[in-house]
Amino acid sequence: MRYLIEHETILDYPAAVREHHLELRLTPRQDAGQRLISHRIELEPSAERHSYQDYFGNGVDYFCVNAPHTCLTTRLTAEVETLRENPFDFEPVPVYQQKEWYARELRQTPALYDYLLHRSSLTPAIMKLAAELDCAVPRHEAEQLPMDSLLELMGWVPKVLSYEAGSTAVHNDLLDAVRHRTGVCQDFAHLFITVARSWNLPSRYVMGYMDPGILAEGEMIATHAWAEVLVPGGGWIGFDPVHNLLANDRYVAVAVGRDSYDAAPQRGSFKGGDAGTQPQVNLTIVNQ
């Protein structure tokens, strides 16, 4: 699939702010699942832009607007080709070789431990999660293929959380969402990751976009979040518990991390008065 993405964010402030530093994680990733054909980032007011790749392999653009301003606009235009048509298209590693497969991957890539051991208020320890639930946490048995257990987990998450747009804020504590039994895509992904890590499966958070054609009824076009798990034989496989779908070529990954904080599309700081209103986001995704 080939997508043209336009993502505009407008920040308005009631009084002028200055020395505005901003980091953007908006450039779609390049990996085995997708190819970035072109991209352009525009800023208003204009500023000198710099780029680098962060610890998680995400493309980051950063800049500083020193002059006083009451409005800051960032605009991404990107063209992406997605390649993973069938996420089941791989040869699973036999169950009796799974343990050694993971041990070898961790020896060769120690950074994977970040996706295995990390705990935060977004992806808490499993005991804290279990204490908030009135149902049992799913288990993964050694004689099961991880893929089978993960598919069951993907179906379990919506039994704990009901999707409700705007029910939680960005970087909301997962346990708060679980207590209220409602959440948004970030909460669904964090819940999935929390359980998968308790099974000793390297799991990471993904921020990106999905084809508007598979949005649920009433769901608005917006950035989306899902989870990826390192599966023997298949590599990083994406699980979208909101829609109970595996991520395929109708998903565009932008940034990954241990949780949503690592993959935030925009964050920064400035000098001035009020923080201003909620960002205005205008997003279009066109299947070409």
Side-chain angles (χ1 to χ4, degrees):
M1 307 287 275
R2 195 162 173 151
Y3 292 98
L4 177 64
I5 299 164
E6 295 179 320
H7 185 155
E8 180 185 69
T9 303
I10 302 172
L11 301 172
D12 281 314
Y13 300 91
V17 301
R18 66 187 192 283
E19 297 180 44
H20 201 157
H21 297 263
L22 215 62
E23 276 190 349
L24 306 178
R25 284 171 175 78
L26 290 176
T27 302
R29 291 173 65 84
Q30 289 215 80
D31 54 30
Q34 62 187 38
R35 185 170 69 93
L36 180 61
I37 299 169
S38 65
H39 84 290
R40 182 175 72 250
I41 290 179
E42 300 169 276
L43 310 171
E44 295 177 17
S46 62
E48 185 176 1
R49 182 168 56 87
H50 305 273
S51 302
Y52 70 96
Q53 194 171 70
D54 70 12
Y55 174 76
F56 304 102
N58 304 313
V60 182
D61 294 276
Y62 70 98
F63 59 94
C64 176
V65 179
N66 283 311
H69 55 280
T70 56
C71 182
L72 178 64
T73 301
T74 60
R75 191 177 299 109
L76 164 84
T77 304
E79 195 172 6
V80 183
E81 182 181 17
T82 56
L83 306 171
R84 176 167 282 184
E85 184 176 351
N86 179 6
F88 290 103
D89 186 19
F90 67 92
E91 189 68 33
V93 173
V95 169
Y96 70 93
Q97 294 179 352
Q98 302 274 330
K99 189 174 179 180
E100 175 52 32
W101 189 91
Y102 278 117
R104 185 175 64 251
E105 292 294 314
L106 289 165
R107 280 197 306 272
Q108 293 176 348
T109 313
L112 289 174
Y113 281 106
D114 288 319
Y115 298 128
L116 190 61
L117 303 178
H118 179 72
R119 302 289 184 270
S120 69
S121 63
L122 306 176
T123 55
I126 194 66
M127 296 303 293
K128 291 183 178 178
L129 172 65
E132 298 293 337
L133 293 172
D134 54 8
C135 60
V137 176
R139 294 174 59 86
H140 168 59
E141 305 296 344
E143 62 273 15
Q144 282 182 290
L145 286 172
M147 196 67 184
D148 293 340
S149 300
L150 292 165
L151 290 171
E152 291 176 12
L153 174 59
M154 187 165 63
W156 174 80
V157 171
K159 296 176 183 175
V160 175
L161 295 177
S162 297
Y163 183 87
E164 185 176 323
S167 59
T168 61
V170 176
H171 311 319
N172 187 83
D173 285 5
L174 175 61
L175 297 184
D176 285 343
V178 170
R179 288 187 194 105
H180 293 93
R181 297 294 189 266
T182 58
V184 296
C185 55
Q186 293 98 317
D187 306 300
F188 281 60
H190 288 145
L191 179 55
F192 185 97
I193 290 167
T194 297
V195 178
R197 282 183 186 158
S198 76
W199 297 346
N200 291 321
L201 305 180
S203 309
R204 66 187 185 184
Y205 179 95
V206 187
M207 183 277 293
Y209 308 103
M210 63 185 298
D211 190 314
I214 54 176
L215 292 177
E217 185 177 350
E219 191 176 2
M220 304 293 290
I221 296 178
T223 56
H224 189 53
W226 60 96
E228 283 187 344
V229 180
L230 190 63
V231 174
W236 289 107
I237 301 291
F239 296 83
D240 177 5
V242 172
H243 301 91
N244 201 20
L245 293 172
L246 292 184
N248 58 8
D249 60 352
R250 302 183 77 176
Y251 288 72
V252 176
V254 174
V256 304
R258 298 163 299 179
D259 54 36
S260 65
Y261 187 80
D262 290 335
Q266 184 164 307
R267 63 188 183 204
S269 64
F270 58 81
K271 290 183 179 178
D274 297 335
T277 58
Q278 286 291 317
Q280 177 186 335
V281 178
N282 302 310
L283 176 62
T284 59
I285 303 171
V286 178
N287 181 355
Q288 298 181 299

